């Protein structure tokens, strides 16, 4: 019985082994022909069991998973410190969820986090992750202004800008092929993009338009978006980080003003400066 069993199991294993070998040979021949110029072995990746992601056809589910891994690295990298102030985090989350619901991608699970950093900045990555610096919260005069920045960052997610940028970056680094990009390489690029790379001009304008529509639909006074940018621009001295990582400010203001109806610009929630000050009182 046991002999019979081992005979069958050897035959089975042999078959399986041949199958695997021929698959690998077929793959390596096929892949080498398709992409002779890439500096790493696809056979190696396959043997290591690496997961390859196709960025041009990435699903929401894959995007969310990748975003979670990028977020984990951002939070654990030591480069940013997530605030433990629950009051402030839940305030930003409240604003963020209100906007997310009326955005063009309402079904993503959004996470809004406050970063302990005095510089005036905000950023986002794929899959619904938005980060707001405490310095930016202090620089805003009211909730409509803060909401305009949150809406702009959601706009980057709606426009899938991080995925597009990741693709460009991966091509530049030679780590993408017809088969896709290795998951670990994708996470590394995602972290670098979120923390260090400015968005393109084109993506900024698009995020502004998405953001403006979003804050209007969520019931905020749209003037907040223009007044906040104008304030930062007029601040003088050193350029706030938000503007240096978000280029072409005066042109952005002009483009936004074109979309603002003076009759309704100040209609909506979030213009009570005093109420805002008391909500963020625990920051100072
Ligand atoms: Zn931006």
């Amino acid at each position: 019985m046991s002999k019979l069993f081992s005979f069958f199991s050897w035959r089975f294993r042999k078959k399986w082994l041949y199958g695997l070998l021929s698959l690998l040979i077929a793959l390596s021949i096929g892949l080498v022909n398709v992409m002779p110029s890439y500096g790493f072995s696809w056979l190696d990746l396959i043997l290591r069991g690496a997961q390859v992601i196709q960025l041009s056809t990435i699903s929401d589910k894959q995007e969310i998973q990748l975003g979670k891994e990028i977020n984990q690295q951002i939070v654990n990298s030591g480069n940013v410190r997530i605030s433990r102030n629950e009051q402030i985090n839940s305030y930003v989350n409240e604003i963020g969820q209100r906007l997310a619901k009326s955005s063009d991608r309402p079904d993503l699970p959004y996470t809004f986090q406050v970063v302990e950093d005095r510089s005036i900045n905000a950023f986002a990555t794929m899959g619904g992750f938005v980060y707001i610096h405490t310095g930016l919260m202090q620089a805003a005069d009211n909730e409509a202004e803060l909401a305009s920045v949150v809406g702009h960052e959601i706009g980057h997610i709606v426009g899938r800008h991080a995925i597009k940028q990741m693709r460009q970056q991966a091509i530049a680094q030679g780590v993408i092929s017809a088969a896709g990009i290795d998951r670990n390489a994708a996470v590394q690029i995602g972290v670098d993009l979120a923390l260090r790379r400015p968005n393109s001009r084109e993506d900024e304008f698009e995020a502004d338009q998405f953001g403006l529509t979003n804050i209007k639909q969520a019931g905020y006074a749209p003037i907040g978006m223009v007044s906040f940018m104008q304030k930062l621009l007029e601040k003088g001295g050193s350029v706030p980080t938000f503007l240096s990582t978000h280029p072409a400010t005066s042109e952005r203001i002009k483009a936004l003003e074109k979309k603002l109806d003076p009759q309704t610009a100040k209609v909506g929630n979030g213009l009570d400066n005093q109420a805002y000050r008391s909500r963020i009182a625990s920051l100072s």
Side-chain angles (χ1 to χ4, degrees), residues 109-120:
Y110 286 86
T111 306
F112 300 90
Q113 295 172 93
V114 175
V115 175
E116 290 280 359
D117 193 318
R118 295 168 86 90
S119 63
I120 302 170

Side-chain angles (χ1 to χ4, degrees), residues 122 152-153 156 199 203-204 207-208 242 245-246 252:
H152 171 93
E153 295 305 326
H156 280 304
N199 288 286
D203 289 352
E204 288 311 326
D208 280 348
F242 185 68
T245 58
H246 291 72
R252 285 171 64 196

Side-chain angles (χ1 to χ4, degrees), residues 46 106 108 128 150 179 199 203 220 235 245-246 262 282:
I46 293 161
L108 288 181
V150 179
N199 288 286
D203 289 352
Y220 284 110
K235 243 180 178 262
T245 58
H246 291 72
S282 63

Side-chain angles (χ1 to χ4, degrees), residues 20-245:
L20 179 70
L21 275 176
S22 52
L23 174 73
L24 287 178
I25 289 162
L27 271 174
S28 61
I29 291 168
L31 290 170
V32 167
N33 286 340
V34 174
M35 43 186 140
S37 60
Y38 294 102
F40 60 93
S41 154
W42 277 92
L43 194 59
D44 244 28
L45 282 181
I46 293 161
L47 289 173
R48 280 194 282 122
Q51 271 183 286
V52 174
I53 299 168
Q54 187 63 264
L55 290 174
S56 51
T57 56
I58 189 169
S59 68
D60 281 2
K61 207 174 146 197
Q62 282 178 308
E63 181 189 336
I64 292 163
Q65 194 48 46
L66 202 53
K68 275 184 188 162
E69 285 172 50
I70 293 167
N71 172 63
Q72 234 151 33
Q73 290 243 356
I74 288 173
V75 170
N76 297 331
S77 64
N79 285 314
V80 300
R81 196 150 58 101
I82 301 298
S83 167
R84 294 218 179 111
N85 185 330
E86 269 184 45
Q87 228 181 325
I88 293 300
N89 270 299
S90 75
Y91 181 42
V92 170
N93 188 54
E94 186 188 301
I95 297 169
Q97 299 301 343
R98 173 173 170 179
L99 290 164
K101 249 190 277 173
S102 53
S103 77
D104 283 348
R105 294 186 78 188
D107 298 329
L108 288 181
Y110 286 86
T111 306
F112 300 90
Q113 295 172 93
V114 175
V115 175
E116 290 280 359
D117 193 318
R118 295 168 86 90
S119 63
I120 302 170
N121 204 14
F123 56 97
T125 191
M126 62 186 68
F129 292 89
V130 175
Y131 310 81
I132 306 288
H133 282 197
T134 47
L136 187 139
M137 295 183 73
Q138 302 265 30
D141 275 336
N142 55 44
E143 192 172 305
E145 290 188 352
L146 174 59
S148 77
V149 175
V150 179
H152 171 93
E153 295 305 326
I154 293 174
H156 280 304
I157 295 169
V158 167
R160 294 175 167 81
H161 296 158
I163 299 166
K164 190 173 85 182
Q165 253 192 315
M166 179 180 279
R167 221 168 147 256
Q168 287 163 353
Q169 200 56 34
I171 290 167
Q173 291 179 16
V175 294
I176 198 165
S177 72
I181 179 173
D182 170 42
R183 181 175 208 95
N184 293 332
V187 172
Q188 287 320 312
I189 292 173
V191 171
D192 186 49
L193 289 175
L195 295 178
R196 283 174 281 273
R197 308 266 171 177
N199 288 286
S200 72
R201 243 174 80 91
E202 187 195 359
D203 289 352
E204 288 311 326
F205 282 110
E206 194 174 71
D208 280 348
Q209 296 306 326
F210 283 140
L212 185 64
T213 310
N214 195 353
I215 62 170
K216 276 190 216 165
Q217 271 166 354
Y220 284 110
I223 189 75
M225 194 162 223
V226 172
S227 65
F228 188 62
M229 263 188 235
Q230 207 122 42
K231 194 181 310 156
L232 295 185
L233 196 64
E234 285 161 8
K235 243 180 178 262
S238 62
V239 179
T241 323
F242 185 68
L243 300 189
S244 63
T245 58

